C-alpha cells in the first residue's frame, strides 16, 4: 500500500490544529475541579470537531455511514482517555518529585523535632 504525500500533510495539519486545543488548559489561576472538568469536556469536543471536520473535508469518512462514524468516535475516546491517564500520571510523578525536593530544602518543624 502506498500513501500520497497529501495524506501526510493532511495528518500533520490535523495534528497541528488539534494541538491548538491545548491552549484551553493554560491559565494563570488555580481552577476548581468543576472548572477543570468543563475544560476537559470542551477540549474533547474540540478534538472531535477537528478530527471529524478534517475527515469529512478530506474524504476519509463517508457521509451518512453511521458505523464508520461510531468506530471513529470510539477510537478518539480511547486515545483521548489513554493520553489523559498518561498525562495525569506524569504530572503526579512530577508533583511528588517537586514536593520531595521541597521537603529536603525546607524541612517542616515536625521533621526537625524528630531529628533532635
Amino acid at each position: 500500500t502506498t500513501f500520497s504525500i497529501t495524506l501526510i500533510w493532511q495528518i500533520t495539519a490535523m495534528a497541528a490544529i488539534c494541538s491548538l486545543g491545548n491552549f484551553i488548559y493554560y491559565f494563570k489561576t488555580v481552577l476548581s475541579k468543576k472548572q477543570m472538568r468543563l475544560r476537559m469536556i470542551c477540549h474533547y469536543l474540540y478534538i472531535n470537531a477537528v478530527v471529524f471536520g478534517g475527515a469529512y473535508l478530506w474524504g476519509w469518512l463517508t457521509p451518512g455511514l453511521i458505523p464508520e462514524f461510531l468506530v471513529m468516535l470510539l477510537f478518539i475516546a480511547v486515545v483521548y482517555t489513554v493520553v489523559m491517564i498518561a498525562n495525569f500520571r506524569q504530572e503526579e510523578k512530577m508533583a511528588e518529585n517537586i514536593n520531595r525536593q521541597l521537603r529536603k530544602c525546607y524541612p517542616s518543624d515536625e521533621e526537625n523535632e524528630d531529628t533532635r
Side-chain angles (χ1 to χ4, degrees):
T1 304
T2 60
F3 295 101
S4 79
I5 192 70
T6 307
L7 179 64
I8 302 298
W9 285 111
Q10 290 170 349
I11 292 170
T12 304
M14 188 176 295
I17 294 168
C18 283
S19 70
L20 293 176
N22 292 338
F23 286 116
I24 292 171
Y25 293 112
Y26 292 121
F27 44 87
K28 292 183 180 182
T29 60
V30 176
L31 300 176
S32 68
K33 285 185 180 183
K34 191 176 188 179
Q35 290 171 323
M36 195 60 194
R37 253 188 229 114
L38 179 63
R39 286 183 189 224
M40 287 173 65
I41 291 168
C42 289
H43 186 249
Y44 176 74
L45 294 174
Y46 172 80
I47 295 296
N48 275 290
V50 170
V51 171
F52 281 110
Y56 282 117
L57 176 71
W58 292 314
W60 299 350
L61 291 175
T62 309
L65 196 59
I66 302 300
E68 197 174 64
F69 173 82
L70 293 176
V71 168
M72 186 83 140
L73 192 64
L74 177 67
F75 282 158
I76 294 170
V78 168
V79 169
Y80 191 85
T81 302
V82 168
V83 169
M84 290 302 287
I85 289 170
N87 192 28
F88 283 139
R89 287 188 177 166
Q90 180 65 28
E91 288 174 0
E92 199 173 60
K93 285 179 185 178
M94 185 186 318
E96 182 56 39
N97 287 337
I98 291 170
N99 286 333
R100 192 176 309 117
Q101 291 297 323
L102 286 172
R103 278 189 230 110
K104 283 181 185 176
C105 293
Y106 305 103
S108 68
D109 291 335
E110 294 173 3
E111 290 175 0
N112 288 337
E113 289 175 7
D114 291 341
T115 57
R116 289 182 194 171

